[in-house]
Amino acid sequence: MARAYNFSAGPAILPEEVLKQAQAELLDFNGTGMSIMEMSHRGKDYSAVHQEAKDNLKKLLNIPDNYSVLFMTGGASTQFSLIPMNLLGEGQTADYITAGAWSSKAIKAAKKLGISVNELANTAKDVPTRVPGNDLEFTPGAAYVHICSNETISGAQVKEFPKTDAPLIADMSSDILSRPLDVSQFGMIYAGAQKNLAPAGVTLVIIRNDLAEKSPDTLPELFQYKHFMENDSLSNTIPTFPVYMIMLVTRWLLEKGGLEGVQKMNEEKAAKLYAAIDASDFYNGTAVPEFRSPMNVTFRLPTEDLEAQFVKEAAAKGMTSLKGHRSVGGIRASIYNAFPAAGVDALIEFMKEFEAANA
Amino acid sequence: MARAYNFSAGPAILPEEVLKQAQAELLDFNGTGMSIMEMSHRGKDYSAVHQEAKDNLKKLLNIPDNYSVLFMTGGASTQFSLIPMNLLGEGQTADYITAGAWSSKAIKAAKKLGISVNELANTAKDVPTRVPGNDLEFTPGAAYVHICSNETISGAQVKEFPKTDAPLIADMSSDILSRPLDVSQFGMIYAGAQKNLAPAGVTLVIIRNDLAEKSPDTLPELFQYKHFMENDSLSNTIPTFPVYMIMLVTRWLLEKGGLEGVQKMNEEKAAKLYAAIDASDFYNGTAVPEFRSPMNVTFRLPTEDLEAQFVKEAAAKGMTSLKGHRSVGGIRASIYNAFPAAGVDALIEFMKEFEAANA
């Protein structure tokens, strides 16, 4: 069967070339007679994979030498707790910018630890949504400022990151590696793998070494950034297969011209789709235009019944997972790095047909 | 190239049939036109996988209805901390049976939390090793008793679990699903996947519901057994591919006659290998005979130089990862469920040749 046009918000589409390579060598990696999944995480074949995954990330993102690339588990949601546990010293506070469901979860997890944190802005209360502007007043002496770069549910993306004195920490789960980035703006960047990086099961953390050093020794070692940094994420068995997939995906991104090349592809795809939405009164974009995400394109139809019908008819044509998040409804087309331009064209074509039949 | 005979202690060999099926459907699961790795963890295709993985485990282990099957992350080493964090109430204590490297790590992690725990026995100080007998004095009122069922490094296995008043908690990372088990003896069983279950990246937890209920609400939700139980492990994105592999591996085990059938295969493989060791003065088994593990067969040669030569020559013949753990040296042949009997025969044949050439 042909590949579906998979608009899933995550776990999400992976590059077909990457899947084909993983498939071809699934029982025999590098002529070893075994799968990458069956190898010791301390052996030389996996070590080379681990190193290349890190090297490719460093190349793509120009990661400065005073940062470490860590592979952790538990998803971005676990980071919501680990960040304050590691980086908030006794009596310190931190600033949180909330602009949607995910950044709201981050501050909720921090508050649960009994920590006093400051919600700097909350633009998440209404849909359509936007991300905050540059009118934020940061708390003097805050240990860090937390932000979510792309709100998957509402489809809003931070276009310009705020300038902060405190280290800026960004949840980039849904737009990591989708555009060039100045990593030195951040104290830490983290991302669950399952949208733009690899299958679910590994969490990428890019952290400035002096911040990682702050992990309290009293924390369990496997909750400490410092411990992961000092052990190159290999203190216990690492999810080797997802790291291997990060290696293949980052190799694919380098072949596509790195993040400049990928950004160009992403912007072309998104621009076409947003143009189709704006060209019609039948479809209405959800996010505030200046913050529209090129990763998650959200829009509404005149009624919820029409939305349900739209999702169903699209699926019958091989365009799957277009239903918006259950908390907000509507339509969401997630078109991550790996999503093919032809799939966007197919969706636009279908949108026209559907409008003609139902307007 | 032919499949290697992969004696790796973990990540370890997977059944060839399982890898072939995963390979065949890697780009198209169930005719959906997408990989199982690319699907939402909340969609119907993954839901069926999730359910079958749990159902197969329940069937294989006869898990009683008052237990929950959880899929977590972070490996068994993370459980070393989560167990006391979840199950040790204010002012309570717990008993730990140490019999090797892994159970020693478990008690170390508990102590790190500042908790007073009791080391009931420590048979891990010397190699060869054994597991404790039935002469243990448990602490009245202990919240739980922790034990490791199979010490991967020394190659010693608990043959009969102690009778305890407190809930018995067993780390079964290296012998889960290798033999029939009375789950009702345990308060909790846990296992990193990468030895006998699936690729690295998921941790199986089987827990009695009343114990899971004890998770303090003050813990971050993703550290709570209760939260995983209440959300069927789907509160955040689950590592879907390893769970899919658990489904395939457990399906394979059911086809092999369930745990009785698998135990028979395992005992035959181990008996042949131990017999070859005992038939020779050149090879010396490490573990105390009555506690020999059928999963990890450890032995020594007359000198470390000969051991190094043995490992090297075996690898040249396609028998890989026979080197003992770096902390103890010697030879370790890990022959988990998926390891083929023909590989054991090949090793025995090689042992004879090597002895003849070097004795």
Side-chain angles (χ1 to χ4, degrees):
Chain A
M1 127 140 214
R3 290 269 291 164
Y5 288 131
N6 174 9
F7 292 92
S8 175
I13 192 166
L14 290 160
E16 188 171 353
E17 299 93 312
V18 164
L19 284 171
K20 281 187 172 157
Q21 179 165 353
Q23 181 179 47
E25 59 197 24
L26 203 75
L27 276 85
D28 183 10
F29 178 68
N30 270 357
T32 55
M34 58 183 98
S35 176
I36 182 71
M37 296 186 245
E38 301 178 292
M39 291 178 184
S40 170
H41 55 300
R42 304 199 191 280
K44 75 174 167 45
D45 291 285
Y46 174 73
S47 294
V49 166
H50 192 86
Q51 192 60 45
E52 187 188 331
K54 289 194 303 171
D55 288 346
N56 291 352
L57 287 163
K58 284 180 189 171
K59 247 180 262 178
L60 285 164
L61 287 163
N62 285 314
I63 302 175
D65 286 343
N66 61 325
Y67 286 71
S68 294
V69 175
L70 314 180
F71 299 122
M72 303 182 74
T73 60
S77 298
T78 298
Q79 296 296 321
F80 297 164
S81 300
L82 293 184
I83 290 164
M85 289 167 75
N86 277 274
L87 302 180
L88 210 52
E90 190 75 23
Q92 283 191 303
T93 189
D95 286 345
Y96 279 73
I97 299 169
T98 38
W102 290 104
S103 44
S104 299
K105 285 189 183 193
I107 191 169
K108 191 176 157 216
K111 284 181 176 168
K112 191 172 166 58
L113 296 167
I115 291 163
S116 142
V117 288
N118 317 300
E119 186 167 53
L120 285 195
N122 187 339
T123 58
K125 285 167 190 154
D126 305 302
V127 176
T129 193
R130 58 185 290 276
V131 293
N134 289 319
D135 53 344
L136 299 169
E137 282 195 36
F138 299 103
T139 308
Y144 59 82
V145 179
H146 184 275
I147 195 167
C148 175
S149 62
N150 187 74
E151 288 286 355
T152 325
I153 290 177
S154 55
Q157 187 189 45
V158 178
K159 300 299 176 183
E160 198 178 333
F161 288 94
K163 302 263 174 290
T164 59
D165 290 329
L168 186 62
I169 297 182
D171 174 1
M172 294 196 183
S173 295
S174 54
D175 67 353
I176 186 91
L177 301 185
S178 70
R179 55 179 170 173
L181 200 68
D182 176 7
V183 172
S184 73
Q185 289 178 282
F186 300 92
M188 170 176 157
I189 292 166
Y190 65 103
Q194 65 271 9
K195 295 170 194 292
N196 243 342
L197 271 177
V202 68
T203 315
L204 172 66
V205 173
I206 300 167
I207 187 167
R208 224 173 59 206
N209 297 345
D210 63 298
L211 282 179
E213 290 288 348
K214 288 189 193 289
S215 300
D217 288 326
T218 48
L219 272 187
E221 289 176 341
L222 293 175
F223 297 173
Q224 293 178 20
Y225 297 131
K226 183 169 62 180
H227 185 78
F228 275 77
M229 177 176 72
E230 289 173 351
N231 292 278
D232 194 14
S233 310
L234 291 162
S235 152
N236 71 333
T237 309
I238 190 167
T240 49
F241 185 73
V243 176
Y244 156 78
M245 292 294 285
I246 288 181
M247 178 193 77
L248 292 184
V249 167
T250 50
R251 212 187 257 178
W252 176 83
L253 288 168
L254 286 165
E255 284 162 9
K256 295 283 173 193
L259 299 189
E260 285 79 7
V262 168
Q263 182 181 38
K264 192 164 172 285
M265 296 191 317
N266 286 334
E267 285 183 351
E268 285 170 6
K269 288 184 289 179
K272 273 202 273 191
L273 188 45
Y274 282 118
I277 291 167
D278 291 340
S280 145
D281 290 333
F282 188 75
Y283 301 107
N284 279 291
T286 308
V288 170
E290 64 188 297
F291 296 112
R292 279 173 167 178
S293 167
M295 299 282 99
N296 311 99
V297 177
T298 51
F299 56 99
R300 308 293 314 226
L301 272 64
T303 68
E304 291 187 7
D305 283 349
L306 280 169
E307 288 168 348
Q309 191 188 331
F310 181 91
V311 169
K312 197 174 159 189
E313 288 185 21
K317 289 174 181 287
M319 290 174 276
T320 67
S321 303
L322 280 162
K323 194 176 170 190
H325 191 269
R326 62 191 186 282
S327 63
V328 295
I331 306 295
R332 174 172 55 177
S334 295
I335 49 173
Y336 298 116
N337 288 346
F339 192 89
V344 172
D345 295 339
L347 176 60
I348 292 169
E349 195 55 40
F350 170 69
M351 286 166 70
K352 286 180 191 160
E353 289 167 23
F354 190 86
E355 181 178 355
N358 296 283
Chain B
M1 128 141 215
R3 290 269 291 164
Y5 288 131
N6 174 8
F7 291 93
S8 174
I13 192 166
L14 290 160
E16 189 170 353
E17 299 94 312
V18 164
L19 283 171
K20 283 186 170 159
Q21 180 165 354
Q23 182 179 47
E25 61 197 22
L26 204 75
L27 274 87
D28 183 11
F29 179 68
N30 270 356
T32 55
M34 59 182 97
S35 175
I36 181 72
M37 295 186 247
E38 301 178 293
M39 291 178 183
S40 170
H41 55 299
R42 304 199 190 281
K44 74 174 170 42
D45 291 284
Y46 175 73
S47 294
V49 165
H50 191 86
Q51 192 60 45
E52 188 188 329
K54 290 194 302 171
D55 288 346
N56 290 353
L57 286 164
K58 285 181 188 170
K59 247 180 259 176
L60 284 165
L61 287 162
N62 286 314
I63 301 175
D65 286 344
N66 59 326
Y67 285 72
S68 293
V69 174
L70 313 180
F71 299 122
M72 301 182 75
T73 59
S77 297
T78 297
Q79 295 296 320
F80 296 164
S81 300
L82 293 184
I83 290 164
M85 288 167 76
N86 276 275
L87 303 180
L88 211 53
E90 190 75 22
Q92 282 192 304
T93 191
D95 286 345
Y96 279 74
I97 299 169
T98 38
W102 291 103
S103 44
S104 298
K105 285 188 184 195
I107 191 169
K108 192 177 156 214
K111 284 180 176 168
K112 191 174 168 53
L113 296 168
I115 290 162
S116 143
V117 289
N118 318 299
E119 186 167 55
L120 286 195
N122 187 340
T123 58
K125 285 167 192 154
D126 304 301
V127 176
T129 193
R130 57 187 291 275
V131 292
N134 290 319
D135 52 344
L136 299 169
E137 282 196 36
F138 298 104
T139 308
Y144 59 82
V145 178
H146 184 275
I147 194 166
C148 175
S149 62
N150 186 74
E151 288 287 355
T152 325
I153 291 177
S154 55
Q157 187 188 47
V158 177
K159 300 300 177 184
E160 199 178 332
F161 288 94
K163 302 262 175 290
T164 59
D165 290 330
L168 186 62
I169 297 182
D171 175 0
M172 293 196 185
S173 294
S174 55
D175 67 353
I176 186 90
L177 300 185
S178 70
R179 54 179 171 174
L181 200 69
D182 176 6
V183 172
S184 73
Q185 289 177 282
F186 301 91
M188 171 177 156
I189 292 166
Y190 66 104
Q194 65 271 10
K195 295 168 193 294
N196 242 341
L197 269 176
V202 67
T203 315
L204 173 67
V205 172
I206 301 166
I207 187 167
R208 225 172 58 205
N209 296 344
D210 63 300
L211 282 179
E213 290 287 349
K214 288 188 193 289
S215 299
D217 288 326
T218 48
L219 272 186
E221 289 176 343
L222 292 175
F223 297 174
Q224 293 178 19
Y225 297 131
K226 183 169 62 179
H227 186 77
F228 275 77
M229 177 175 73
E230 288 172 353
N231 291 279
D232 194 13
S233 310
L234 291 162
S235 154
N236 71 333
T237 310
I238 189 167
T240 50
F241 184 73
V243 175
Y244 156 77
M245 290 295 284
I246 289 181
M247 179 193 78
L248 292 184
V249 167
T250 50
R251 213 186 258 178
W252 176 82
L253 288 168
L254 287 165
E255 283 162 12
K256 295 283 173 194
L259 299 189
E260 285 80 6
V262 169
Q263 182 181 38
K264 192 163 169 287
M265 296 191 316
N266 286 332
E267 284 183 351
E268 284 169 7
K269 287 185 289 181
K272 272 202 276 192
L273 187 47
Y274 283 118
I277 292 167
D278 291 341
S280 145
D281 290 333
F282 188 75
Y283 300 108
N284 279 291
T286 308
V288 170
E290 64 188 296
F291 297 112
R292 281 174 165 176
S293 167
M295 298 284 100
N296 311 98
V297 177
T298 51
F299 56 99
R300 307 295 313 228
L301 271 64
T303 69
E304 290 188 7
D305 283 349
L306 279 169
E307 287 168 350
Q309 190 187 331
F310 181 92
V311 169
K312 199 174 159 190
E313 289 185 19
K317 289 173 181 284
M319 289 176 276
T320 67
S321 302
L322 280 161
K323 194 177 170 190
H325 191 268
R326 62 192 186 282
S327 63
V328 295
I331 307 294
R332 173 172 58 177
S334 295
I335 50 173
Y336 298 115
N337 288 347
F339 193 89
V344 173
D345 295 340
L347 176 60
I348 293 169
E349 194 55 39
F350 170 69
M351 287 167 70
K352 285 181 190 157
E353 288 166 24
F354 189 86
E355 181 178 358
N358 296 283

